[in-house]
């Protein structure tokens, strides 16, 4: 007779239900505010991208008008549809955060969930005179979402999920969304467990979405929609799967842990290990580049070589570039791009990122021959969660004698990973990137509200600030003529604002 699995899900739900903001170290609360600000950066910049407009058109053709705001649009739709679109905007230009060990784009899950649940509470408040949601409540619920997704993902070996073909954030995301929503709704632990049970049975998402599709940007939105649906069904008394995380047969961890190649396919007890002492939001990385995380080491490594050898790394002298990387990074970003390449594909391609960094706008990246840049799997980088971030870049040049010469740069981790972007860096990213999509007064109002969330008595202020129309980031400024992202006339200053900090 086998031992019963540890009761992990109930313990997690008790923690979510019982935690108060005063239980969380002040520096974690402070970090949370800057994470929220970065998520809003991504939402506002992503609202009117061409593929975001396509998403709005498609969703509104089915859902129609409603009571819930679409960020950056003067339109409203239903609760689930608005949350789906707002998540899609945050993922719109690949500038949003990621968890370094359990890849999930946390803000693409947490913020749309929170905004939808917030507006639901406000609608209730206007009809029943209920006290509105405060900034402190918003912060606390956000932290629950930031913590739950990675805790679930790490117990099936986090980044390893990508190697098995799953889009990891779409798998970990429904539980995170349910946790954030139920906390904001002040549901008790048994109903939180129902919500997580309903959320986890809807988890899904294929990483093949990264090839020539727009739906890659929407898959975290599916997780948000499913998590919110779960929370409101549980609130209405609908029961979900009990102990959904730890059940040996058909449970979340046993099912998505299958095929990991590990001696233990999953580690259920670790979901609740270090609650209130180990904070996963410390591992959430704010991105400095508008591309998939595995490309960042390539960008950093080539950038370092360009700084060291400015006269040598010019396009007409480059013979070949070879990059060694781990299996998860190789499978996700080391594939060979083929024409026609979509914007999504370009942002997911390490080869394209290398070309962009090397050429710096001298020619279109598609003009670089595919044989000039290659990625190879280095098994030594597969050992643990530290080595999977490593890359070694070899740039082979033609020297003045016509003989090849190789420059080598080893990158232990991308910028922002080992040393997270500072509060000043995140604030600078917010100000520089949003300055051309919202006016200065609105920008300052959002910034002041988010960085002072503990003192906000009524979070309706935030929904009002996000309601108005935003500009298009590919314009050189609000009100200027729109330029498509593949337009060769795109200004250098615009490219610098979006692609690199």
């Amino acid at each position: 007779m086998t031992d019963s699995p540890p009761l992990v899900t109930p313990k997690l739900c008790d923690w979510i239900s019982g935690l108060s903001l005063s239980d969380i170290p002040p520096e974690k609360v402070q970090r949370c505010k800057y994470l929220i600000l970065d998520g809003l950066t991504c939402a506002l910049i992503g609202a009117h991208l061409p593929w975001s407009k396509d998403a709005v058109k498609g969703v509104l053709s089915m859902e129609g008008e409603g009571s819930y705001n679409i960020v950056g649009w003067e339109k409203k739709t239903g609760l689930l549809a608005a949350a789906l679109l707002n998540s899609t905007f945050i993922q719109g230009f690949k500038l949003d955060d990621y968890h370094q060990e359990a890849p999930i784009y946390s803000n693409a899950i947490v913020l749309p969930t929170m905004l939808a649940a917030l507006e639901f509470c406000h609608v209730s408040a206007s009809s029943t005179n209920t006290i509105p949601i405060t900034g402190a409540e918003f912060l606390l619920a956000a932290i629950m979402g930031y913590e739950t997704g990675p805790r679930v993902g790490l117990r099936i070996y986090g980044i390893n999920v990508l190697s098995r073909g799953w889009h990891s954030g779409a798998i970990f995301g429904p539980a995170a969304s349910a946790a954030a929503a139920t906390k904001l709704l002040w549901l008790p632990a048994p109903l939180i467990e129902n919500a997580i049970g309903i959320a986890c049975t809807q988890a899904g998402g294929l990483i093949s979405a990264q090839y020539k599709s727009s739906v890659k940007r929407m898959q975290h939105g599916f997780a948000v929609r499913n998590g919110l649906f779960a929370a409101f069904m549980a609130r209405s008394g609908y029961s979900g799967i009990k102990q959904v995380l730890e059940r040996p047969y058909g449970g979340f961890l046993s099912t998505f842990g299958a095929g990991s190649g590990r001696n233990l396919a999953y580690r259920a007890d670790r979901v609740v290990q270090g609650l209130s002492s180990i904070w996963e939001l410390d591992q959430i990385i704010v991105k400095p580049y508008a591309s998939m995380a595995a490309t960042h080491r390539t960008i950093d490594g080539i950038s370092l070589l360009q700084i060291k050898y400015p006269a040598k790394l010019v396009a007409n002298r480059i013979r070949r570039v070879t990059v060694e990387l781990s299996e998860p990074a190789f499978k996700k970003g080391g594939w060979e791009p083929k024409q026609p390449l979509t914007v999504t594909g370009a942002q997911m391609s390490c080869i394209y990122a290398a070309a962009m960094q090397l050429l710096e706008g001298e020619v279109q990246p598609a003009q670089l021959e595919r044989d000039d840049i290659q990625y190879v799997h280095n098994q030594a980088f597969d050992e643990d969660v530290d080595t999977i971030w490593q890359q070694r870049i070899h740039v082979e040049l033609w020297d003045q004698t016509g003989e090849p010469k190789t420059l080598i740069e080893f990158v232990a981790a991308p910028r922002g990973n080992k040393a997270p972007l500072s509060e000043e860096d995140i604030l600078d990213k917010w100000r520089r990137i949003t300055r051309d999509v919202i006016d200065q007064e609105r920008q300052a109002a959002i910034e002041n509200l988010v960085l002072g969330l503990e003192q906000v008595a009524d979070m309706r202020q935030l929904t009002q600030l996000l309601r108005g129309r935003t500009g298009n980031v590919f314009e050189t400024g609000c009100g200027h003529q729109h330029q498509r992202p593949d337009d060769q006339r795109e200004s250098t200053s615009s490219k610098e604002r979006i692609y690199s900090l």
Side-chain angles (χ1 to χ4, degrees):
M1 183 175 179
T2 59
D3 294 335
S4 298
L7 294 180
V8 169
T9 313
K11 186 173 181 179
L12 176 66
C13 295
D14 284 340
W15 180 72
I16 293 170
S17 174
L19 200 72
S20 63
L21 198 62
S22 60
D23 297 324
I24 302 171
E27 66 273 16
K28 310 306 177 188
V29 176
Q30 180 76 353
R31 180 66 176 174
C32 179
K33 292 188 290 187
Y34 281 88
L35 290 175
I36 290 170
L37 188 66
D38 188 67
L40 294 178
T41 304
C42 300
L44 292 167
I45 198 178
H48 284 276
L49 296 171
W51 40 91
S52 297
K53 292 180 179 180
D54 291 342
V56 172
K57 179 181 177 181
V59 170
L60 293 188
S61 72
M62 297 179 282
E63 296 292 335
E65 294 185 2
S67 302
Y68 295 84
N69 286 292
I70 304 172
V71 171
W73 289 71
E74 294 172 340
K75 294 179 181 291
K76 294 185 177 185
T77 187
L79 181 147
L80 298 181
L84 172 67
L85 288 171
N86 291 337
S87 175
T88 302
F89 299 164
I90 293 174
Q91 277 268 276
F93 215 91
K94 298 294 292 177
L95 266 171
D96 52 324
D97 63 274
Y98 64 98
H99 189 281
Q100 62 179 324
E101 294 184 30
I104 179 174
Y105 299 106
S106 299
N107 272 320
I109 297 293
V110 172
L111 282 187
T113 297
M114 301 287 294
L115 293 173
L118 180 63
E119 289 201 82
F120 175 86
C121 294
H122 289 163
V123 170
S124 300
S126 64
S127 60
T128 65
N129 295 320
T130 304
I131 298 174
I133 297 297
T134 67
E137 291 170 320
F138 189 89
L139 270 170
L140 178 59
I143 291 171
M144 293 300 91
Y146 290 145
E147 290 297 309
T148 300
R151 282 186 169 275
V152 169
L154 283 170
R155 299 346 171 202
I156 47 177
Y157 302 101
I159 201 168
N160 179 268
V161 172
L162 292 168
S163 298
R164 287 177 267 139
W166 294 112
H167 188 187
S168 53
I171 303 301
F172 315 152
S177 175
T182 53
K183 187 63 175 179
L184 198 65
L185 296 170
W186 288 105
L187 298 191
L191 296 190
I192 296 174
E193 184 171 6
N194 280 337
I196 289 179
I198 298 169
C200 285
T201 197
Q202 300 176 81
L206 301 176
I207 196 57
S208 57
Q210 71 184 26
Y211 304 113
K212 300 182 180 181
S213 83
S214 297
V215 78
K216 167 69 168 61
R217 306 177 195 276
M218 191 177 278
Q219 289 193 151
H220 277 63
F222 298 154
V224 171
R225 179 192 61 191
N226 296 341
L228 274 168
F229 176 84
F232 283 102
M233 291 300 291
R235 181 179 181 272
S236 299
Y238 202 77
S239 61
I241 303 170
K242 303 298 189 295
Q243 301 173 39
V244 67
L245 297 176
E246 63 268 30
R247 287 196 179 274
Y249 176 66
F252 179 89
L253 297 177
S254 62
T255 299
F256 286 107
S260 68
R262 309 297 177 97
N263 291 331
L264 291 174
Y266 61 96
R267 302 169 295 182
D269 58 315
R270 297 195 180 183
V271 172
V272 292
Q273 184 177 25
L275 290 173
S276 295
S277 61
I278 299 172
W279 297 95
E280 292 303 329
L281 61 83
D282 287 338
Q283 307 301 318
I284 296 175
I285 306 301
V286 174
K287 282 185 178 181
Y289 309 119
S291 57
M292 182 264 294
T295 69
H296 290 202
R297 285 150 286 175
T298 300
I299 297 168
D300 288 339
I302 292 175
S303 178
L304 288 170
L305 287 171
Q306 288 171 322
I307 292 169
K308 291 179 180 179
Y309 309 101
K312 295 181 179 180
L313 262 73
V314 293
N316 61 3
R317 292 189 61 186
I318 295 172
R319 180 172 183 261
R320 183 179 295 111
V321 178
T322 302
V323 182
E324 305 170 36
L325 69 177
S326 66
E327 181 187 36
F330 179 76
K331 286 187 173 181
K332 194 172 184 188
W335 50 277
E336 179 182 305
K338 296 182 180 180
Q339 298 299 326
L341 187 64
T342 65
V343 176
T344 302
Q347 290 178 303
M348 299 298 295
S349 169
C350 291
I351 290 177
Y352 191 94
M356 282 289 292
Q357 187 63 33
L358 284 166
L359 297 173
E360 296 183 315
E362 293 179 35
V363 296
Q364 289 297 309
Q367 290 178 246
L368 195 69
E369 292 295 332
R370 292 194 298 267
D371 290 342
D372 291 342
I373 302 178
Q374 61 179 344
Y375 278 71
V376 295
H377 174 208
N378 185 332
Q379 293 183 349
F381 294 167
D382 297 340
E383 292 181 3
D384 55 43
V385 294
D386 291 322
T387 61
I388 58 173
W389 291 106
Q390 295 175 356
Q391 287 188 14
R392 185 178 290 107
I393 295 99
H394 308 253
V395 179
E396 192 173 333
L397 306 172
W398 295 112
D399 67 13
Q400 294 178 345
T401 65
E403 295 296 322
K405 179 180 179 180
T406 301
L407 308 177
I408 300 175
E409 186 69 38
F410 173 77
V411 182
R415 181 184 171 209
N417 189 300
K418 296 297 184 183
L421 295 189
S422 67
E423 293 176 1
E424 291 75 17
D425 290 332
I426 296 171
L427 190 58
D428 179 64
K429 177 182 175 181
W430 155 259
R431 290 173 176 172
R432 290 196 297 114
I433 288 180
T434 60
R435 69 188 180 195
D436 281 344
V437 297
I438 57 175
D439 62 54
Q440 188 173 2
E441 182 180 357
R442 186 178 174 190
Q443 184 190 56
I446 294 172
E447 177 183 318
N448 292 334
L449 184 148
V450 172
L451 298 185
L453 273 173
E454 300 98 325
Q455 286 74 48
V456 176
D458 187 345
M459 284 299 291
R460 275 178 285 205
Q461 298 175 58
L462 180 60
T463 55
Q464 291 167 359
L465 286 167
L466 297 176
R467 183 176 298 153
R469 184 177 176 84
T470 57
N472 188 305
V473 74
F474 289 119
E475 301 166 356
T476 56
C478 287
H480 290 188
Q481 184 178 2
H482 167 65
Q483 289 180 249
R484 297 288 297 205
D486 55 351
D487 195 323
Q488 295 185 24
R489 297 169 298 170
E490 179 185 351
S491 69
T492 301
S493 60
S494 174
K495 188 179 295 181
E496 288 172 350
R497 284 198 302 274
I498 305 308
Y499 189 72
S500 173
L501 294 180

